[in-house]
Amino acid sequence: MSESYVIKMPQLSDTMTEGVVVSWEKNIGDKIERGNVVATVETDKAIMDVEVFREGYLSGPLSAIDSTVAVGDAMGYLVVSHDEVQDEGAQPIEEAVPAGSEGKPEVEVAADIDVPKNVTHVIKMPQLSDTMTEGVLVSWEKDIGDKIKRGDVVATVETDKAIMDVEVFRDGYLSGPVAPVDSVVLVGGALAYLVDSSDAVVEGEAAATVTKSKQEADFSLPSGSTPALTAASAPASNVAPLSRPDNKQASPQARKLAASLHVNLNTLKGTGPDGVITAVDVRHAQPVERPTEIGQAVPAHTMPEIQVPGHGRAMSAMEKAVSHSMTASLTMPTFRVSVDVNSGALIKAAKSKGVSLTVAIARACALAMQKHIRMNWAYQPVDKLVERDNVDIGMAVAAKDGGLVVPVLRHCESRSLEELNDNWSDLVERARSRRLTPEEYANPTFVISNMGMLGVTYFDAIPVPGTAGILAISSAGAQGMPMTVTADHRVVNGAEVAMYLNTLKTNIEAPETWLGSPEPAIPQGDWDYDVVVIGGGPGGEDCARDLAGHGIKVAMINDSPFPGGECLWRGCIPSKAWRAAADRIRDREHDKHLGVQGTNKPELDWKALEKTRRSVLETRGDMALKTDTGVKIKVIQGFASFVSDHQLVVDKTGNSKDPHARAPHGDGSKGDRITFGCAVIAAGAPPFVPPIDSAAEGLENGGVLTSDTVWTLKEAPAKLAIIGGGAIGVEMAQIFQDFGTRVTLLEAADRILAEVEPEIAKQLTGILNEDKRLTIMTSVGVTSIKGKPGVVKVAYKDDDKKKTMTVDYVLMATGKRPELAPLHIDNAGIETDGPVIKADKHCRTNVAHIFAVGDVIGGLMLAHTAGQQGRVAAATILGENMKYDQSKDSGVIFSRPQAAFVGLSVEQAKAKGIDAVEVKMPMSIDAKAMITNETQGMIKIVVDKSNQRIIGVHFLADHADTLIGEAVMMVSGDMTLEQVAHAIHPHPTQTEMFGDMARRLLSRLRRSRKVTSKAKTA
Ligand SMILES: Cc1cc2nc3c(=O)[nH]c(=O)nc-3n(C[C@H](O)[C@H](O)[C@H](O)COP(=O)(O)OP(=O)(O)OC[C@H]3O[C@@H](n4cnc5c(N)ncnc54)[C@H](O)[C@@H]3O)c2cc1C
C-alpha cells in the first residue's frame, strides 16, 4: 500500500489539550487538494478550520461529530488513491504518517515568512469572504508599542465588499514594520507583528503598496504558505455573548459563538427544542450558503479587451469585485419582463405597520416565490440547478463614501415583517458605513434594485451569478410603478417570470391578503367597557386618556379618590417639593461666592413646607380627575381583581377620602362586576421591605418608615438611617442632609445607583461622602432593626465586623415590588416573570387582550416609563405599531449634583455587541458652572462607532434635569455626532458642551485612523 497520512487534532492555542469535532467539510472518498479545509473543530476558545496540506482521498475511520479528540490524536486519514479509501467502520491506519500543516499551532510563526527578530506572532491579512484575495489596510486601531490583549481589534481592513475589524487572539505588544494605511495586502500577508516585551518592539512602516501582480513584495506570502488556519473562521475566545435575539431564544453558547463569528441571531431559525437557536445553527450560518463544491478557478470567459486611451488608475477592491461579477454575468442568457404595479395600498399598509416599503416589497417578492419557486433557484456551472427554500434578498444601499453595498435580508419567506424590518434597519445603518460581515452580504438568492426614489421612469438591472433574476423598481407614473425582472433563461422561462410578476403585483396591490388589516385588539363582544384600566398612576392615566381620545369606551379603576398614583401622592412630586426646599438651603452656601451676604443662615419651617407640598398634590390631583372625566374616562374608585379573563370585580369597601396615603385593602364584602374587551394592568409596585429581624415591628410602631409613610413625619429627624442606595434612598439621604439631619445610608451592594453609569455613580458617592452630615456605606448587611420612633437600633455587618448605630428613624428604601396576589391574575391566566407581570415590548401579557404597564412589569420603575408604556399599550389596542424601547429610556436622580442618563452606557452598549466609544467633559471647565460654583461632575456622550450615532448621554451635573432634554432628543432621534457638532448652541449656556464634545469626538475618531503615520514619525 502507498503511504497514508493521519489527520491529527491540531493544537490551536497554547492551552488546548483536546478538541471537539464540529463538522466534516469533506466526505469519505472525496479528493483532497493541498489547502483544503477538511473539518472544523472546537477548541477551548474557538471554532476553527482544519486545513490539510497534502493531496489524497479522505479515508475512514473519521472521528464522530461532537466527539472529543486529544491534541495529536487521529481524526481521519488521507490515502493516495481512491481504491485505498476505507469506510467508517474500518480499523485505524497504523502506519499513517502525519499529514502536516493542519497541526500547526495558531501562535507559531510560519517559518517561511521573513519576519523581524523576536516576533511571537504575525498579524496577517485575514480571508474574510470566499472571494477575498487581498484587502486594503484602512486604519490602525492600536499604536506600535501598545499592549495587545486577546480579542483586541488592532486594525480595520477593506475587503472586496465591506470594512471589517482585524482581531488578534494573542497577548503581546504591537510591533512593526506595520503595513501602511491604504496599502493593499494579500490574504495571509503580514500586517504587523506581536512581540513579548515592549523592549522588543520595532518601529516603522514596511514598504508600500503590494498588489496582486507583486507577489514577492514585503507583505505577500510565498505561494503555498497560506496560514494553516483561516482567521475568518476563528472566533474570539473572550468576546461577550450577543444579547438575546428578538422574540426567540438562543443558547448561551450560540450567543457567544454568534458574537465571535459576527452572525446575526435575528436572522437564524433555531433547530433546538421550541425553536431555540443552538451553536450548531450558528455554525451553519457562517458563512451563509458556503458553496460545497468549488471548481478549479478558471477564467469563465475570455473577452476581447479593447484598449482605451489615457492613464487608468487601479480599481479599488470593491470596484474590482463589481467589475468581475458584472463581466461574469455576461455569460448569463438574460431576458426582461415588465409590469406596472399600483403600490398605494402597500405604501399605506407599510406606514401603518411602521415598516419600510422596501422591506414590505421584499416580503411580497418572497411570498410570490413560494408560488413560483424557480425564481429563487440558480444556475451552477456546469449544467446544474441549485434549488433553494430560503429566500435571501439582496437590496442595494448607497454607502456614505459612494458606491453600492448589497446587504442581504435572510429568510424573507418565513420571518415576520416586523422582524425583517428591525433586521433591515440594522443592516442599512451598517451598510452605509460598509460595516457588514460576510454573511450579511454574501450569496443572495434574489436581488431588488429600487431606483424609484431617484425619479427614474424606467430601468433594468443586471442579475448577479447565483441568482435567477433581479427586480428593478422605477418610480411610479400614471400607469403605476414599473417593475422589471431581468432573468436567467437557463433557470426560468418567460412565462414563469410573467406569472411571478403577476403574483407579485397582486401581493403589492392587495396587501391585506397577507399583511392583515390593522384592526384594534379589542375582541368582539357585549362588554361593559371596551377597555378597563386598573390603576390611576402615570401608566394607567396616560393609557386611558389615549384610548378615550380615540373614542374607546374606557373605565379607569383606581383605589384612591384621585388619580396620580404613587408618583403624585408619595413619589416624584412630593419628593421634589422637599428637594426644592433643600435646594434653597443648599444654594445659600454659594451666595457668598458671588458676593451676596446675609443669606447664609437659612432655616426650615417644616409646617410651611408641608402646607405647600400637600396643596400642590391636592391641586394636581383635582386637575387630573377633572381632565380624566372631561375626556370621558369613566373613573371608578375601588380595588379591582380578576374573576376571569373578561371580568373583574371592583371592591369598594376599602375606599377612603384621603388621597395622600396608599389605600387600605377592603374586606371584599361589596363588589361590582364589570366585563371588558381588553384590560390594562397599571397597578404599580409598593415599597418592598426585606425580611430583616424586627423590621416588621418597626413598621407597625412607626420607627421604620418607607416611601409610603415618610410623609407622616412632623419634623426633620436629628438622626436617620436609610437602608438602600437606589434613587429613592440617595435622594432622601441628601434632602434630609440639607434639612440638617445626620444621615447614614447603608447599601448591601458594592455601589449605589445600579441603573446609573458606573463612573458617575462612583463620583457621586465621593461627593456625597464629602459632607460631614452624610455617610454612604456600601457592601453592608443589615441584620436587625429594633426599637421605636426616637430610638431605633440598627445592627449591621461591615467587613464581617458586627456594628450598631442608634437613630431616630430608619427609612427603608429597599426597592419596590408589585403586590400581585390581591389582583387574582391567575383567574385570567396571566403569567408572571419572577415577581412582576410578564409583558412584551408592546406591553402585551401572555393573554392577547390583556396588557400590563409601569412598575407592575418591572424594569425601570419610573413615572415617564410607565406613561410611555401606557401609550404603547393604548396604541397596540388601537391596532397601531408602537413598542417600548428601554435602550432609549431616561432617568434623573435628583441629587446635588444630579445624576442622569438617557440611552446606553459604553458597558451596556458593548454587552449588546455595539462598538461604542465615549467622550466626556468635566463640569469644572464650563463658564456657567464656574460662575455659580457648580463645578462638580461631568457629561459623557456615548456613540456607536460604526455609524457615529449618539446612543447614550450621561450626566453628573447640576441642572442635568434640564440639560437632559436635548440629550433625550439626540438619542430618541438617532442623531449623529456630526449633527450635534453642527447644531448652533446659544452662548453662554451649558448646552454648548454638547457641541464641543461632539466635535472633539469627531476629531478623535478621525485621528485614530491616522495613528500609523504618527508611529512612523515617532
Ligand atoms: C419617593 C419616590 C420618588 C420618586 N421619584 C421619581 C422621579 O423623580 N421620577 C420618576 O420618574 N419616578 C419617580 N418615582 C417612581 C414613580 O413614582 C413610579 O415609577 C410611578 O408612579 C409608577 O407608575 P405606575 O402607573 O406604574 O404605578 P403607580 O403610580 O403606583 O399607580 C398605580 C395606582 O394603582 C392603584 N392600584 C393598585 N392596585 C389596584 C387595584 N387592584 N385596583 C385599583 N387600583 C389599584 C395604586 O394604589 C396606585 O394609585 C418615585 C417613587 C418614589 C417612591
Side-chain angles (χ1 to χ4, degrees), residues 556-568:
M556 185 174 80
I557 304 161
N558 191 29
D559 57 5
S560 170
F562 288 95
E566 175 188 85
C567 172
L568 177 61

Side-chain angles (χ1 to χ4, degrees), residues 535 537-539 558-559 566-567 571-572 576 638-640 682-684 823 855 861-863:
N558 191 29
D559 57 5
E566 175 188 85
C567 172
C572 328
K576 266 76 248 177
F639 188 88
L823 275 163
D855 286 1
M861 289 197 182
L862 294 168

Side-chain angles (χ1 to χ4, degrees), residues 285-533:
Q286 198 268 343
V288 177
E289 288 287 299
R290 182 203 290 249
T292 44
E293 294 164 43
I294 303 174
Q296 200 61 32
V298 284
H301 41 79
T302 350
M303 300 278 181
E305 296 283 7
I306 296 156
Q307 274 312 322
V308 172
H311 299 285
R313 68 153 171 87
M315 280 179 155
S316 71
M318 205 172 281
E319 287 166 334
K320 265 195 273 181
V322 173
S323 163
H324 292 173
S325 170
M326 291 298 103
T327 313
S329 72
L330 290 176
T331 61
M332 297 167 87
T334 55
F335 62 98
R336 279 160 287 280
V337 183
S338 296
V339 69
D340 289 328
V341 178
N342 187 343
S343 55
L346 189 62
I347 292 172
K348 206 167 149 206
K351 201 171 165 207
S352 82
K353 294 246 166 208
V355 301
S356 103
L357 178 64
T358 311
V359 175
I361 292 177
R363 176 94 173 117
C365 281
L367 292 175
M369 256 158 212
Q370 287 178 338
K371 283 196 184 156
H372 311 281
I373 52 175
R374 293 183 81 100
M375 289 301 299
N376 195 43
W377 295 0
Y379 173 82
Q380 188 182 48
V382 176
D383 297 342
K384 290 183 193 163
L385 287 176
V386 185
E387 303 177 354
R388 322 175 259 224
D389 298 329
N390 51 311
V391 182
D392 299 338
I393 300 187
M395 292 184 280
V397 170
K400 275 186 201 151
D401 55 0
L404 287 179
V405 183
V406 186
V408 180
L409 197 54
R410 308 256 169 222
H411 289 293
C412 294
E413 80 293 353
S414 57
R415 292 198 292 154
S416 73
L417 195 59
E418 197 182 40
E419 207 180 329
L420 290 169
N421 192 63
D422 286 353
N423 185 193
W424 183 244
S425 317
D426 170 51
L427 285 172
V428 168
E429 276 303 322
R430 286 180 296 108
R432 292 219 164 100
S433 47
R434 292 208 275 136
R435 286 233 162 232
L436 295 177
T437 56
E439 63 277 1
E440 289 172 328
Y441 57 70
N443 305 325
T445 64
F446 188 70
V447 177
I448 298 176
S449 175
N450 186 354
M451 295 227 281
M453 63 272 261
L454 301 179
V456 293
T457 48
Y458 178 85
F459 80 107
D460 62 32
I462 306 173
V464 290
T467 63
I470 184 166
L471 174 70
I473 304 174
S474 308
S475 79
Q479 306 299 316
M481 189 182 251
M483 292 195 169
T484 300
V485 167
T486 308
D488 183 342
H489 219 317
R490 295 167 300 186
V491 187
V492 277
N493 60 41
E496 280 162 336
V497 178
M499 284 189 287
Y500 171 77
L501 273 176
N502 275 320
T503 307
L504 178 61
K505 181 176 160 76
T506 310
N507 287 351
I508 291 176
E509 292 182 351
E512 65 284 355
T513 53
W514 53 279
L515 264 177
S517 42
E519 289 284 334
I522 306 165
Q524 292 288 322
D526 185 17
W527 319 115
D528 294 332
Y529 294 96
D530 295 333
V531 183
V532 290
V533 176

Side-chain angles (χ1 to χ4, degrees), residues 877-938:
I877 290 171
L878 292 164
E880 291 162 14
N881 179 49
M882 188 173 170
K883 54 192 170 199
Y884 167 70
D885 181 0
Q886 185 171 327
S887 69
K888 295 195 166 168
D889 206 344
S890 59
V892 177
I893 288 69
F894 290 80
S895 48
R896 290 291 300 267
Q898 295 165 341
F901 63 90
V902 52
L904 303 173
S905 64
V906 167
E907 209 177 28
Q908 290 166 333
K910 289 204 164 154
K912 282 175 168 272
I914 299 171
D915 185 9
V917 62
E918 72 180 17
V919 58
K920 63 179 167 187
M921 223 176 228
M923 298 310 295
S924 56
I925 62 165
D926 176 66
K928 284 288 289 258
M930 286 180 190
I931 292 168
T932 51
N933 202 15
E934 293 170 331
T935 49
Q936 288 172 317
M938 69 184 105

Side-chain angles (χ1 to χ4, degrees), residues 32 165 727 758 804 810 819 822 872 943:
I32 307 298
D165 294 338
T804 56
V810 168
E819 221 182 331
V872 167
V943 168

Side-chain angles (χ1 to χ4, degrees), residues 736-969:
F736 280 105
Q737 171 208 341
D738 287 334
F739 286 170
T741 304
R742 198 175 177 87
V743 183
T744 308
L745 187 149
L746 305 169
E747 165 59 52
D750 59 1
R751 58 164 282 192
I752 58 167
L753 299 174
E755 70 277 34
V756 166
E757 201 272 346
E759 190 184 0
I760 285 188
K762 193 170 164 209
Q763 209 180 101
L764 179 60
T765 310
I767 293 170
L768 296 177
N769 270 330
E770 275 169 20
D771 191 290
K772 285 196 284 298
R773 285 200 311 277
L774 175 57
T775 309
I776 308 271
M777 297 171 76
T778 52
S779 307
V780 172
V782 176
T783 50
S784 72
I785 305 171
K786 291 184 179 160
K788 54 184 197 294
V791 218
V792 188
K793 205 165 165 190
V794 181
Y796 60 97
K797 267 195 189 164
D798 183 13
D799 264 349
D800 274 345
K801 286 193 199 104
K802 288 185 180 169
K803 295 185 180 169
T804 56
M805 77 171 90
T806 305
V807 291
D808 297 318
Y809 291 94
V810 168
L811 172 61
M812 298 300 293
T814 35
K816 283 150 44 67
R817 194 174 278 187
E819 221 182 331
L820 299 180
L823 275 163
H824 295 308
I825 55 170
D826 37 343
N827 286 345
I830 300 162
E831 287 174 5
T832 56
D833 185 2
V836 301
I837 293 180
K838 191 165 128 193
D840 65 14
K841 39 191 182 180
H842 301 285
C843 298
R844 199 173 221 140
T845 69
N846 61 304
V847 182
H849 60 279
I850 300 183
F851 296 75
V853 302
D855 286 1
V856 82
I857 62 169
L860 289 175
M861 289 197 182
L862 294 168
H864 49 273
T865 306
Q868 175 73 356
Q869 290 169 345
R871 289 185 288 275
V872 167
T876 312
I877 290 171
L878 292 164
E880 291 162 14
N881 179 49
M882 188 173 170
K883 54 192 170 199
Y884 167 70
D885 181 0
Q886 185 171 327
S887 69
K888 295 195 166 168
D889 206 344
S890 59
V892 177
I893 288 69
F894 290 80
S895 48
R896 290 291 300 267
Q898 295 165 341
F901 63 90
V902 52
L904 303 173
S905 64
V906 167
E907 209 177 28
Q908 290 166 333
K910 289 204 164 154
K912 282 175 168 272
I914 299 171
D915 185 9
V917 62
E918 72 180 17
V919 58
K920 63 179 167 187
M921 223 176 228
M923 298 310 295
S924 56
I925 62 165
D926 176 66
K928 284 288 289 258
M930 286 180 190
I931 292 168
T932 51
N933 202 15
E934 293 170 331
T935 49
Q936 288 172 317
M938 69 184 105
I939 304 181
K940 283 183 173 196
I941 296 185
V942 181
V943 168
D944 179 343
K945 237 168 132 185
S946 71
N947 51 26
Q948 302 200 341
R949 288 192 195 283
I950 293 165
I951 54 172
V953 186
H954 303 267
F955 298 83
L956 181 61
D958 280 300
H959 316 293
D961 59 342
T962 312
L963 290 170
I964 198 171
E966 179 167 343
V968 165
M969 298 313 288

